[in-house]
Amino acid sequence: HADSVLVWGPDWQQLLEQNRMAVGLVDLSDPAAPRFARLNGELEMYAASLPKIAILLAAFHQFEHGQLKRTAEIEADLAAMIRTSSNSAATRMIDRVGGLKAVNRVLQDPRYGLYDPNGSGGLWVGKRYAKSGPRLPDPVHGISHGATVDQACRFYYLLATGRLISQEASREMLELLADPGLKHKFVAPLSQRAPKARLHRKSGTWKQWHADSVLVWGPDWRRYILVAMVESKDGEQILRRLVPEIEAVLHDTSDAEDD
């Protein structure tokens, strides 16, 4: 359990108790024996642009089944949607795959299981990333752009192990998630602490809601998935401060095992 090893500040503890913060961590330093820790793991929160990873999955699902043809325009929109979080590109991609219902059918497909309508929910895209258009709130919590850290971590774990659609599709989606164009939240401290690590990342921000998700692939112990969501005006700084706390735990654990 993450709360048995992490030292949380009083502000973080209060946010967790108020269901305004969630954190998920997957330690991949030994890929054959991953370890998972979470706080409020099944809490679905408003995640802004983070659920654009679900639109990415829906597009690749349709590529795989011949329902969507890959074009230079689509490739450019997928890159813009993920790397710089373009709302217009995300909206075009939602429309291309057949709308909100089509995206969420993929999330609920038993092959992926990224949204559970009979449980705690998960990843959900219930509105185009535009001012106009219909709203399709998720059936469990009524959130338009929702995520749980459990399912976001699972998304990255399936990608990292080549099990999301296929090995080739997983590799291509990882490439699109690499080289983030926005350098805030998790990326800011990671760029300083681990300049040689490869980052696969998608974040989200709207008003007081802040979310980030990253697969970090570096040397030795620095191989992990981190997902966090915070509802706070200080969310940006909280997410930045989370990275060194998490890395301290991972490094200490790695040293203990080496001993």
Side-chain angles (χ1 to χ4, degrees):
H1 297 286
D3 55 356
S4 67
V5 293
L6 292 175
V7 179
W8 300 100
D11 54 337
W12 296 7
Q13 189 63 40
Q14 186 177 47
L15 288 168
L16 288 163
E17 291 172 354
Q18 294 174 347
N19 286 339
R20 294 168 56 209
M21 183 174 180
V23 183
L25 173 65
V26 184
D27 178 3
L28 297 172
S29 55
D30 180 359
R35 298 182 298 172
F36 178 44
R38 65 185 186 175
L39 290 164
N40 285 339
E42 294 185 338
L43 172 66
E44 186 175 323
M45 296 179 65
Y46 183 76
S49 289
L50 192 155
K52 289 174 182 175
I53 58 176
I55 306 168
L56 177 70
L57 173 62
F60 272 81
H61 175 87
Q62 293 196 0
F63 292 158
E64 187 80 3
H65 293 85
Q67 298 167 313
L68 182 66
K69 183 179 179 181
R70 297 181 77 156
T71 65
E73 185 179 13
I74 285 177
E75 296 284 355
D77 273 350
L78 288 173
M81 176 181 75
I82 296 299
R83 290 187 175 137
T84 59
S85 206
S86 167
N87 286 337
S88 57
T91 296
R92 287 192 294 269
M93 287 309 308
I94 290 171
D95 293 344
R96 287 187 182 110
V97 300
L100 301 170
K101 290 183 179 180
V103 174
N104 293 308
R105 274 198 302 270
V106 173
L107 294 172
Q108 296 175 78
D109 189 309
R111 285 169 289 185
Y112 313 123
L114 292 165
Y115 184 86
D116 181 3
N118 300 309
S120 56
L123 287 169
W124 186 264
V125 181
K127 188 179 184 301
R128 295 160 81 236
Y129 286 88
K131 292 182 179 180
S132 63
R135 185 173 180 265
L136 183 69
D138 88 272
V140 178
H141 303 286
I143 298 174
S144 57
H145 297 134
T148 64
V149 297
D150 278 10
Q151 291 296 1
C153 282
R154 195 165 156 272
F155 175 93
Y156 281 94
Y157 180 71
L158 291 172
L159 275 185
T161 56
R163 291 187 285 174
L164 203 54
I165 301 178
S166 67
Q167 284 192 342
E168 180 62 18
S170 294
R171 185 190 65 78
E172 291 180 347
M173 284 187 278
L174 279 172
E175 284 299 313
L176 282 165
L177 286 157
D179 302 321
L182 303 176
K183 308 297 183 182
H184 58 357
K185 299 178 183 173
F186 289 166
V187 174
L190 282 168
S191 297
Q192 297 295 319
R193 299 172 65 88
K196 294 183 180 179
R198 190 161 176 80
L199 307 181
H200 307 267
R201 183 271 192 124
K202 185 72 198 80
S203 66
T205 304
W206 189 68
K207 295 185 177 180
Q208 72 269 32
W209 287 276
H210 301 264
D212 212 345
S213 60
V214 67
L215 165 63
V216 180
W217 200 258
D220 303 321
W221 58 268
R222 194 176 264 120
R223 294 181 176 181
Y224 63 89
I225 297 162
L226 177 61
V227 180
M229 298 180 290
V230 185
E231 181 190 347
S232 168
K233 63 181 178 60
D234 300 318
E236 159 79 18
Q237 290 303 314
I238 290 171
L239 292 175
R240 288 185 184 227
R241 286 161 43 205
L242 185 61
V243 170
E245 296 289 341
I246 291 293
E247 291 214 328
V249 171
L250 290 171
H251 197 194
D252 288 348
T253 304
S254 174
D255 286 346
E257 291 181 349
D258 288 344
D259 293 341

